[in-house]
Amino acid sequence: MPVKVSVVIPVYNPGAYIEDCIASLRRQSLPPDEFEAIFVDDGSTDDTPARLDAVAAEVENIKVIHQEASGWSGKPRNVGIAASEGEFVMFVDNDDYLGDEALERMYDYAVANGADVVVGKMAGKGRGVPVELFRRNHPRATVDNAPLIDSLTPHKMFRRAFLDRIGLRFPEGRRRLEDHVFVTEAYLRADNVSVLSDYVCYYHLKRDDASNAGFQRFDPVGYFANLREALDVVEKYTEPGKTRDRLFRRWLRNEMVERMRGKRLLAAPEDYRQELFKEIRSVVVERFGPGVAAGLQPTQQVVAALIADGRIDDLVAFAEWEVSVTATTTPDGVEWDGGVLRIGLSAELASDGTPMTFPAKGSKEPLDGPPASVREAVDWVGAHSVAGFGRATVEVLLTERTSSAQFFQPVEFTRETVPVDGDDRVRLVLRGTTTVDPATAADGGPLGAGLYDVFVRVKLGGWTKQSRLGPVALKGRTAAEAGVAGGRVVLPYWTAKQGTLALDVDTAGKRLELGRLTPGEVTVSGDRVEVPVPFHVPGDTPVLLKLTGGSGTAARQVPGTLRPQDSAALLEAVLPLGDLGETPWQVALSPAPGAPEPRFHPLPFALRVKDGRVQVTAVRPPRPGVGQRLVRRARPLARKVLARIRARRK
């Protein structure tokens, strides 16, 4: 069968980090005879070459090419392209991994839309990834109708015939931003680019040792010389005007302004800060007209103007003010409503922990040249924040804790200008309610099992601030009863360490509080049993009971129903009395039997049939054995010892 996709993975000393990459390739839903994985070992000196050879000997569709070290990823990717046989080529880094259905979904999407390039949704584990680009699917995306330019890493699928037709390959040698040059040209010359946003295709990882190539300190002279090559591509394939300015703005914002503001600037050593500033300013003055910076957010415009004016001391002073600015997000009620979870919240900006105030009257006066002082710059930003408050937004995302996959949730919000007593100033407050439907919250599909942190993203005054919702004083407590909705069991709770809102989907045990039930709450009438349970259900919800007898007795599964009753639910089931003898049967409940991995939760009572009647007896949870108790006692001591070891290393 013809190869649909060739996955090219440049490799250099990944160590154990390559295992997740290999495992994800072996889990792909695309049949093995329809794709190939080509590992190009670029002179690794660890155990990786032998490991890859062993895998290739075992797995038919995995190939390994060994070559002398070239110093960067460009050449091994090009070698992989040359060796590929697939209709499409997908680039993966050796310390990242794919979603299980990534290749199949991206290939089908490419064929359906005639795409030369497919950009699959990314999740960043310790690394930033585009957010705006993946709000929705873009079957026919361009640099004008979608923020494609936000995603310039090579982790995409490219039609091989397209790469050959335009002669596109990666720049080679020890250099930076080779992916910017390659991807930018692909975007500008492709017949069609498609963005797939309803499935996480690519997991972009930051190593625990921070040894990813992109996290290493770089030589500013070489880096910005390479950046100019990406700008050259834009100039070659666009005309002067709004499109070119908007594309250039991406590099001005991400590679220059963001390096010269806030914590990032203040954390840089003085000598390195000066080197960066010199090279950044040379590019800004040399390549960017006034239309490029004019489209930035107000704070970014200030930084760009100070760069162009050569005022690094004022950049530092402005950064010191900016680092004090945070977003405060306050929960305002968490409750179930007809199978969806409604979360109220308010958000505003704060400076040094105190709500920020702004001039009562705003101004849209453009920044005409660099501000005379940092104080003038701060005042200008404040006036623009008020004038632009009508465009301020608040968004809510669920972030799955293990994978870092993010999912936008619908929010309804209002903007309030709150006067400050005795002053001609105001606070700018956003109040809203987000709705989480477990059946559709994951890009239109159900939430998978796991823990989800609730993040609030505030766009106000030229800042985009993202933080967890909270904190509250109720650390470790539930925020509302568990809900059985959308085929999932969802428990909202406040995290134990920070007191921020999180959702437990299909993994909660004791926190469901089923152990608090007593035999006196169980009602038996003939063969019908009724039990109140602390769940919210939107309507009659099918569940399963599992009855477990003594050794050698097969367990029985009994269908049941959860019915809404006041603020809880009533569990109803008809017992198979003829199958139950006088042996006590312990009872477990599966509230969501249709979940991919349904769980049964033990209930603290047992049922026994005697003289044709059902008796209910209490069941105490088993006490931990001696070994378990010793382990529990040893854990705090182990933590203290580990902390001391780490302190000594520092």
Side-chain angles (χ1 to χ4, degrees):
M1 180 172 290
V3 176
K4 293 179 177 179
V5 183
S6 296
V7 184
V8 174
I9 309 102
V11 178
Y12 181 74
N13 288 354
Y17 290 96
I18 202 169
E19 296 301 331
D20 284 342
C21 180
I22 294 171
S24 76
L25 290 167
R26 300 187 70 169
R27 290 196 305 267
Q28 288 301 301
S29 61
L30 193 66
D33 61 347
E34 295 184 11
F35 80 96
E36 61 179 356
I38 305 172
F39 289 90
V40 183
D41 174 40
D42 197 45
S44 293
T45 58
D46 62 3
D47 296 333
T48 303
R51 169 64 178 140
L52 291 177
D53 287 341
V55 173
E58 178 186 347
V59 184
E60 187 173 352
N61 67 331
I62 290 182
K63 305 175 182 177
V64 182
I65 298 173
H66 299 285
Q67 64 181 33
E68 293 184 3
S70 68
W72 210 250
S73 300
K75 183 173 181 178
R77 290 194 186 110
N78 289 341
V79 169
I81 295 173
S84 66
E85 299 179 6
E87 183 182 353
F88 285 84
V89 179
M90 174 82 192
F91 297 106
V92 176
D93 282 351
N94 60 192
D95 38 25
D96 297 336
Y97 63 92
L98 295 169
D100 293 355
E101 301 174 19
L103 298 182
E104 182 177 19
R105 285 176 179 252
M106 293 177 74
Y107 176 83
D108 289 346
Y109 199 61
V111 171
N113 294 292
D116 289 328
V117 183
V118 179
V119 186
K121 182 176 180 177
M122 303 176 72
K125 300 184 71 173
R127 305 191 67 158
V129 297
V131 176
E132 295 295 334
L133 178 60
F134 300 120
R135 281 180 174 274
R136 61 178 181 84
N137 287 342
H138 296 270
R140 302 197 65 81
T142 69
V143 294
D144 290 311
N145 68 17
L148 284 175
I149 203 66
D150 287 353
S151 180
L152 292 180
T153 63
H155 314 121
K156 300 164 179 60
M157 189 176 284
F158 300 84
R159 189 182 296 272
R160 171 67 191 273
F162 161 68
L163 298 180
D164 290 343
R165 174 169 56 82
I166 68 172
L168 184 59
R169 295 296 186 269
F170 288 91
E172 297 184 2
R174 186 162 183 81
R175 50 162 296 132
R176 305 299 289 257
L177 304 181
E178 82 291 340
D179 47 356
H180 287 207
V181 175
F182 182 94
V183 175
T184 300
E185 182 168 347
Y187 284 160
L188 294 175
R189 301 187 68 184
D191 289 337
N192 184 38
V193 179
S194 295
V195 180
L196 177 63
S197 301
D198 58 7
Y199 180 80
V200 179
C201 298
Y202 196 92
Y203 292 88
H204 202 23
L205 274 65
K206 178 181 179 181
R207 293 189 187 182
D208 294 335
D209 59 6
S211 62
N212 307 73
F215 282 88
Q216 306 308 304
R217 178 166 164 170
F218 59 81
D219 166 40
V221 175
Y223 187 91
F224 289 101
N226 295 152
L227 185 146
R228 286 178 172 89
E229 296 176 40
L231 303 181
D232 291 341
V233 171
V234 175
E235 288 188 341
K236 183 175 181 179
Y237 295 107
T238 65
E239 297 295 328
K242 291 183 178 180
T243 295
R244 180 181 293 180
D245 285 349
R246 185 171 60 254
L247 297 180
F248 276 179
R249 194 172 299 134
R250 184 259 177 234
W251 284 278
L252 174 60
R253 179 185 65 241
N254 290 24
E255 308 296 337
M256 302 177 203
V257 166
E258 290 302 317
R259 297 183 191 277
M260 291 283 109
R261 72 185 288 215
K263 293 180 181 179
R264 202 167 177 184
L265 176 64
L266 299 179
E270 175 64 25
D271 59 339
Y272 190 55
R273 184 190 298 171
Q274 293 286 348
E275 288 182 64
L276 281 172
F277 176 74
K278 178 183 176 181
E279 294 304 317
I280 287 172
R281 183 170 184 269
S282 68
V283 177
V284 170
V285 173
E286 166 195 325
R287 302 295 291 265
F288 298 145
V292 180
L296 295 172
Q297 295 294 338
T299 49
Q300 295 169 336
Q301 288 188 49
V302 168
V303 173
L306 293 175
I307 291 172
D309 206 35
R311 291 159 55 186
I312 190 168
D313 290 341
D314 281 347
L315 280 171
V316 172
F318 191 73
E320 289 172 343
W321 171 70
E322 271 208 277
V323 296
S324 73
V325 178
T326 58
T328 61
T329 57
T330 305
D332 183 21
V334 180
E335 62 181 7
W336 287 98
D337 180 13
V340 299
L341 189 65
R342 300 197 187 280
I343 304 168
L345 60 93
S346 61
E348 64 181 309
L349 296 179
S351 179
D352 289 325
T354 302
M356 284 182 68
T357 64
F358 301 83
K361 292 185 178 180
S363 171
K364 295 183 179 180
E365 192 72 24
L367 188 63
D368 187 15
S373 66
V374 173
R375 180 70 261 169
E376 181 180 297
V378 171
D379 291 342
W380 182 81
V381 169
H384 265 256
S385 299
V386 175
F389 188 45
R391 297 190 300 275
T393 60
V394 60
E395 299 168 319
V396 173
L397 298 96
L398 298 184
T399 301
E400 203 278 318
R401 201 172 292 173
T402 301
S403 68
S404 298
Q406 293 184 309
F407 307 103
F408 280 99
Q409 305 303 304
V411 183
E412 294 182 357
F413 66 92
T414 58
R415 306 177 183 93
E416 294 184 22
T417 302
V418 181
V420 177
D421 292 341
D423 201 351
D424 190 25
R425 298 182 70 80
V426 296
R427 290 165 51 199
L428 305 178
V429 182
L430 296 158
R431 303 190 194 280
T433 301
T434 186
T435 303
V436 179
D437 184 345
T440 60
D443 291 332
L447 292 171
L451 303 178
Y452 294 78
D453 290 302
V454 179
F455 280 86
V456 179
R457 197 162 178 253
V458 178
K459 291 184 179 180
L460 195 164
W463 290 279
T464 298
K465 300 287 186 179
Q466 182 168 299
S467 62
R468 291 178 178 176
L469 180 57
V472 299
L474 303 173
K475 294 182 179 180
R477 307 259 187 101
T478 56
E481 67 272 20
V484 182
R488 301 291 186 268
V489 180
V490 181
L491 177 68
Y493 70 98
W494 306 110
T495 58
K497 288 186 177 180
Q498 299 162 320
T500 54
L501 186 63
L503 305 181
D504 183 316
V505 179
D506 283 343
T507 70
K510 290 183 179 180
R511 282 192 300 207
L512 295 178
E513 299 185 343
L514 293 172
R516 294 188 178 185
L517 297 173
T518 64
E521 296 176 275
V522 181
T523 301
V524 179
S525 177
D527 60 356
R528 181 176 294 274
V529 62
E530 296 182 347
V531 188
V533 290
F535 290 147
H536 165 85
V537 290
D540 288 0
T541 303
V543 298
L544 270 182
L545 290 178
K546 182 165 67 175
L547 308 181
T548 306
S551 60
T553 305
R556 308 284 197 273
Q557 289 197 355
V558 179
T561 303
L562 288 178
R563 302 188 190 281
Q565 185 184 65
D566 300 326
S567 60
L570 185 66
L571 168 62
E572 298 179 348
V574 176
L575 301 173
L577 297 185
D579 294 341
L580 306 180
E582 294 189 1
T583 301
W585 293 81
Q586 295 191 5
V587 185
L589 168 65
S590 179
E597 297 182 9
R599 302 178 69 209
F600 282 89
H601 303 273
L603 300 180
F605 61 86
L607 302 176
R608 180 182 180 187
V609 179
K610 188 172 183 180
D611 298 329
R613 299 183 63 183
V614 179
Q615 297 178 348
V616 182
T617 57
V619 175
R620 292 183 178 180
R623 296 185 63 187
V626 175
Q628 290 175 300
R629 293 198 296 271
L630 289 175
V631 169
R632 289 180 182 176
R633 292 172 185 171
R635 281 174 183 163
L637 178 60
R639 292 192 196 103
K640 291 179 182 178
V641 172
L642 185 59
R644 288 173 186 166
I645 293 173
R646 288 173 175 167
R648 288 174 187 165
R649 288 176 178 172
K650 293 179 180 177

